[in-house]
Amino acid sequence: MPVRWLLWLLVLCVPSAFAEALYRVEVLLFRHDAPLLASQRAPSGWAKGTQMLERNAERQPMLDAIAERLSAEPGYQLLLHRAWRQQISDDGKAIALHQGPRHFEHYPIQGVLKISPGRYMRTDVTFWVNRFGDYGQLLASERLTQRVRLVPGRLTYIDHDSLGLLIELKRL
C-alpha cells in the first residue's frame, strides 16, 4: 500500500519538474538588407509586463563563430548578440532585452522574447531597431515580430524584411 502512494506522488511531481527546466538561450539579431523607412515606431510601454534580463543570468555567448561570419559577410550587420540562462515554465514571464544608450524610454535595440514549454517549445519574439533624432526623440523603428516553434539544441533562423534573428535553446 505505501508503495502505491509513493508511485502516485512521483507521477504527480514529475511533470512539474520537467515543466520548469533550465535552459541556455542565445540570440543573434542582425540586419541583412537596407533599413525599412516605413515601419511603425516602437510603443512607449514596449517592456510592460516583462522581466528585464538580469546581468547575473547572462552567459558567455557560444555562437561566436556564426557572429564573426555574419559580421564579415558584405551587407550583414550584427546588431545584438546575447546569451543567458532562463527557467522556462508555463507561467514564466517574457524577457526584455536592450542594447545601447537609453533615449527617454527607448534604446537603439530593444526586444521582448517569451518562450513557452511543450513538446516543441514556442517563442514569441518582437524586436525593434530604433533611429533617434538630434535631441533623442524616436524618429522611426524597424520591427521584427514572429511566433515560431523551437527544438532544443537546434539553431532556428527567423527572417523578417530587413532583419534576421538566430535563436538557440539548449537544456542545462
Side-chain angles (χ1 to χ4, degrees):
M1 190 71 121
V3 174
R4 184 180 305 165
W5 287 106
L6 184 60
L7 287 173
W8 272 107
L9 184 61
L10 186 64
V11 167
L12 292 174
C13 292
V14 168
S16 64
F18 283 118
E20 294 185 5
L22 196 59
Y23 285 85
R24 183 182 204 299
V25 183
E26 189 161 356
V27 170
L28 290 98
L29 177 69
F30 58 94
R31 179 184 314 286
H32 58 76
D33 205 355
L36 291 178
L37 299 176
S39 183
Q40 67 186 113
R41 285 190 275 177
S44 297
W46 68 274
K48 188 175 185 177
T50 66
Q51 175 183 342
M52 283 291 182
L53 180 60
E54 297 173 7
R55 288 279 179 209
N56 64 353
E58 289 194 51
R59 296 292 176 252
Q60 182 67 31
M62 303 293 282
L63 301 175
D64 287 331
I66 293 173
E68 287 175 20
R69 281 192 303 184
L70 278 172
S71 298
E73 191 70 30
Y76 284 78
Q77 178 188 8
L78 186 64
L79 302 171
L80 175 104
H81 185 191
R82 302 286 277 281
W84 67 93
R85 183 185 66 191
Q86 180 180 350
Q87 193 168 24
I88 297 175
S89 62
D90 287 326
D91 58 350
K93 284 192 169 187
I95 299 291
L97 306 164
H98 60 81
Q99 186 163 303
R102 185 176 180 162
H103 298 272
F104 300 107
E105 67 272 1
H106 295 287
Y107 297 88
I109 312 293
Q110 61 192 33
V112 175
L113 186 132
K114 177 157 176 61
I115 300 172
S116 304
R119 181 172 178 206
Y120 294 103
M121 310 287 270
R122 188 186 81 227
T123 185
D124 295 294
V125 296
T126 303
F127 276 94
W128 293 272
V129 178
N130 298 317
R131 284 179 276 139
F132 300 97
D134 293 335
Y135 302 104
Q137 75 276 21
L138 182 63
L139 296 177
S141 302
E142 294 174 84
R143 186 177 75 159
L144 177 150
T145 184
Q146 289 275 335
R147 173 181 281 177
V148 295
R149 290 192 318 180
L150 300 174
V151 177
R154 186 180 298 167
L155 188 62
T156 302
Y157 171 60
I158 299 171
D159 185 24
H160 194 272
D161 296 328
S162 63
L163 302 172
L165 184 82
L166 291 169
I167 182 169
E168 185 178 56
L169 200 61
K170 285 191 175 181
R171 189 172 179 135
L172 295 177

